Amino acid sequence: MFSKEEIEELVIQIRREHGLPVTPFEIDEVRYDREEDKLFIIAHDRTDKSVIIGSSLVIGKLKEILGVKMVSVYTTLDLILKRMQLEKSLNFAEEHGLDFLIPFIKAEFNFPPRKWPKSKKTVNGIVFLTFNAQALLGFANSFGVKGDIYGVRYSFPKLNFIPVDRPIREVFFPNEEFLTNLAQEGEVILSEFKSPAKVQKAILINPIKFLRIGYFELKYLFGESRPAVFDKVDLLEYVVEMVSEGLMEATDGARIIRWGWKR
């Protein structure tokens, strides 16, 4: 429906009309999801991506002109790094008998667009709420993980969970030993762990890193959540880590830090 040449011409037109420099850029591919009315632009690298987004002005006008529900921009490198992680995640799932995760991993290989299957079975597990609490609940529901939901006391007053008296640092960095002791042998624990997946007595999975889904995408998939209690230094450390791993845009990170410092 949309060609990359057409998109390139529109980006140049929008930038000229709004007094932005017409910097050379390259689009590798354009994909359109007719069912969801979403356009995905695959830019060659991050510089090209910045030109297309144009401080949100260009991409906003692009969406308006094309009349689509959403326009998202990724880079070829973004998708290469994602597939590299998915290969590791698929091997992990197959090695540890996590059959319920395999259809989601395979679906992510074809992203964009994202077409997840409906979970066909229920899996015993627990969730520990961290910064992306709403997303963790969304992942649990999508994966069919059922069980107790825990979180640091007072951390997410609008969400239902079992409050535990833990250091507020665990709002960002969950304690693996504590959570492993809460879980039954072989159960799945979903939280924002340092590594994408690890096996101890239980199976620790950070679904954000496991499927390599960035913060921007999480907001549109599951909604956004912000903790009511946290340490500002921990927030800064968390954001820097997410940005450095390519899971959060620097602009989103700056916005979150600004929010945290105004609290």
Side-chain angles (χ1 to χ4, degrees), residues 10 111 157 170 176:
L10 282 173
F111 176 84
E170 293 178 27
E176 294 181 2

Side-chain angles (χ1 to χ4, degrees), residues 87-113:
E87 290 283 2
K88 295 176 184 177
S89 298
L90 182 59
N91 290 337
F92 183 91
E94 290 175 341
E95 181 181 352
H96 299 287
L98 303 175
D99 295 345
F100 71 99
L101 288 176
I102 292 176
F104 295 93
I105 299 169
K106 289 184 175 180
E108 284 294 297
F109 272 111
N110 297 317
F111 176 84

Side-chain angles (χ1 to χ4, degrees), residues 60-123:
K61 290 294 180 180
L62 199 58
K63 173 187 170 186
E64 184 181 315
I65 293 169
L66 295 173
V68 296
K69 183 178 178 181
M70 183 184 294
V71 178
S72 297
V73 187
Y74 298 88
T75 69
T76 298
L77 180 60
D78 289 335
L79 299 182
I80 290 172
L81 292 174
K82 181 180 181 71
R83 291 184 189 116
M84 288 172 65
Q85 175 56 52
L86 291 172
E87 290 283 2
K88 295 176 184 177
S89 298
L90 182 59
N91 290 337
F92 183 91
E94 290 175 341
E95 181 181 352
H96 299 287
L98 303 175
D99 295 345
F100 71 99
L101 288 176
I102 292 176
F104 295 93
I105 299 169
K106 289 184 175 180
E108 284 294 297
F109 272 111
N110 297 317
F111 176 84
R114 176 170 286 115
K115 301 292 183 181
W116 281 1
K118 289 187 177 180
S119 180
K120 295 181 179 179
K121 59 183 293 187
T122 297
V123 179

